[in-house]
Amino acid sequence: EHHTLVERDARGPVWTRFCEAGANSTGATGTLNARGTAAADANDLVLCAGALPPSAFAIAVASHGTADQLGAFGGDGRLCLASPFAPFRSLGDIGVVAAHGSVECARELTSGPWPGGAASVAPGETLYFQVLHRDWLPGPTSNLTEALGVTFR
């Protein structure tokens, strides 16, 4: 089941939440929100994932397209992004979920690589995001949060 939520400001849509995640080992579904602006030149977009298993490794990924694939990456999650992907963190910078179940992911929007090899995010470009995290259901696996789409200005 897909749910869509659109966050707006005075200039129109900021981000769209879509693709409901499955439950993780906490019994909750991983959430994904954004703070900052959708202005590419402001370079202040931060993704905030919540309701995740504490101490799990997590990384946000970005794509130009959407998909719907259960069991992605050999895990228990639902992948809502189309290949190719790019990390939404500095390359090699893996986040660790805090004790309260959240992790923040930020990245320079002006430095690549981005999906398709672009060097920076351009106004009018839409990127889709999800956070991939380790999980335990009932053994070691991976899972994914819901997804967000952001059209940059």
Side-chain angles (χ1 to χ4, degrees):
E1 181 177 341
H2 290 283
H3 296 285
T4 301
L5 174 70
V6 177
E7 182 74 17
R8 297 181 176 276
D9 69 9
R11 295 188 300 172
V14 176
W15 50 262
T16 303
R17 185 182 308 147
F18 67 100
C19 191
E20 189 173 318
N24 60 43
S25 59
T26 69
T29 58
T31 61
L32 188 57
N33 292 295
R35 64 179 165 82
T37 67
D41 61 353
N43 199 26
D44 65 353
L45 182 71
V46 177
L47 301 177
C48 310
L52 303 180
S55 302
F57 294 116
I59 188 166
V61 291
S63 173
H64 280 111
T66 64
D68 189 358
Q69 178 186 347
L70 292 173
F73 306 113
D76 292 317
R78 180 181 189 177
L79 179 64
C80 303
L81 309 183
S83 183
F85 312 106
F88 189 71
R89 293 186 76 94
S90 299
L91 199 55
D93 184 12
I94 305 295
V96 177
V97 178
H100 59 276
S102 69
V103 65
E104 289 190 351
C105 305
R107 177 174 167 186
E108 287 284 327
L109 298 176
T110 58
S111 62
W114 288 101
S120 64
V121 174
E125 183 175 6
T126 300
L127 285 176
Y128 301 95
F129 302 97
Q130 241 180 321
V131 173
L132 173 67
H133 62 90
R134 293 290 294 157
D135 207 354
W136 192 267
L137 285 170
T141 189
S142 63
N143 210 329
L144 291 141
T145 63
E146 65 191 349
L148 282 182
V150 177
T151 299
F152 291 90
R153 302 184 187 128

